Amino acid sequence: MPDVVKAEVPSWRWGERFDPRIVRNVSDAADAANEQSLSLLEARTLADRWETAYERLSRDGSFPEPRRLAGANALYRAASDFTDQVGRIYAREALYFAWLSATLLGQLHDGVSPADLHIPDSPLLRPSQLYADPSVLPGPPATFTDPPDTPDEESASRVHARVLQCLRIARLDQTKPRYVMDVGFDAATFPDEADESIWGSGGVDLAEALHQYGHVCLWNLALPKPDAGIGN
């Protein structure tokens, strides 16, 4: 069973330097991504359970319990479809969390005082937008350096590089992932993608990388840097 990605929200005191609306929005985005990560784990566990039941019931090929076999197969298919849907939602929420945290961190390192940070107006962000244009997601600021003793797996530049790697893998896996990876794509307009899964497009790996990037940016946003020329 894979580990659950989780963004830990810093102590509430981290937000004393910022507009309360900024704190609420960032905390809400972190919590939303965390909830979808847990929901994905639950959905995958349910799908694994019914796949195992179906395989057990059909193992010897005699099918002595046809109704149980049919039920297990139906539930496995339903759980798999639900897992894909949760994965799409997770990717969307993780993208917003990463975008918001990285955007605010960039403003801070551009010299904007903590009290004057603002959330730019933006349309609903979807993974397909990131796939088409990776610059939708800000990278670490040019003036940013990881705090001393930062583990490699929590280095902002390394985590951002992982996001870009997941995007490159998605390009190799799918010809048209923009319809597969979005929530609520128009199956009537794109019927060939109606039954596709985000698993093939690297959507879950991308969501997890985005979630981790949001977490890293949030914690660096929360750290006071009185020696970096940034207002406090």
Side-chain angles (χ1 to χ4, degrees), residues 1 10 12 16 24 28 30 49 68-69 78 81 109 117 120 124 138 147-148 150-151 156 169 182-183 193 198 203 217:
M1 187 60 62
W12 283 106
E16 291 180 346
R24 285 196 300 270
D28 178 49
R49 172 191 171 187
R68 288 187 63 202
L69 179 67
D81 289 344
H109 279 263
L117 295 183
L124 175 66
T150 298
I169 292 172
D182 282 344
V183 177
E193 277 94 25
I198 61 164
C217 289

Side-chain angles (χ1 to χ4, degrees), residues 18-31:
F18 305 103
D19 185 317
R21 291 171 295 182
I22 294 290
V23 177
R24 285 196 300 270
N25 275 276
V26 175
S27 298
D28 178 49
D31 289 340

Side-chain angles (χ1 to χ4, degrees), residues 140 144 146 155-162 213:
F144 175 80
D146 291 303
S155 163
S157 59
R158 284 180 178 268
V159 178
H160 183 257
R162 183 182 168 220
Y213 185 54

Side-chain angles (χ1 to χ4, degrees), residues 128 131 170-171 174-182 193 201:
S128 59
Y131 178 86
R171 286 190 178 95
Q174 290 288 344
T175 303
K176 299 179 180 178
R178 57 188 181 278
Y179 303 120
V180 176
M181 294 167 63
D182 282 344
E193 277 94 25
S201 64

Side-chain angles (χ1 to χ4, degrees), residues 98-99 102 130 133-141 144 146 152-168 206 208-210 212-214 216-217:
W99 172 84
L130 182 63
D133 180 11
S135 68
V136 166
L137 179 68
F144 175 80
D146 291 303
D152 284 347
E153 65 271 15
E154 296 208 358
S155 163
S157 59
R158 284 180 178 268
V159 178
H160 183 257
R162 183 182 168 220
V163 171
L164 298 181
Q165 180 183 28
C166 289
L167 287 171
R168 286 193 292 270
L206 175 60
E208 291 176 344
L210 289 166
Q212 181 69 13
Y213 185 54
V216 169
C217 289

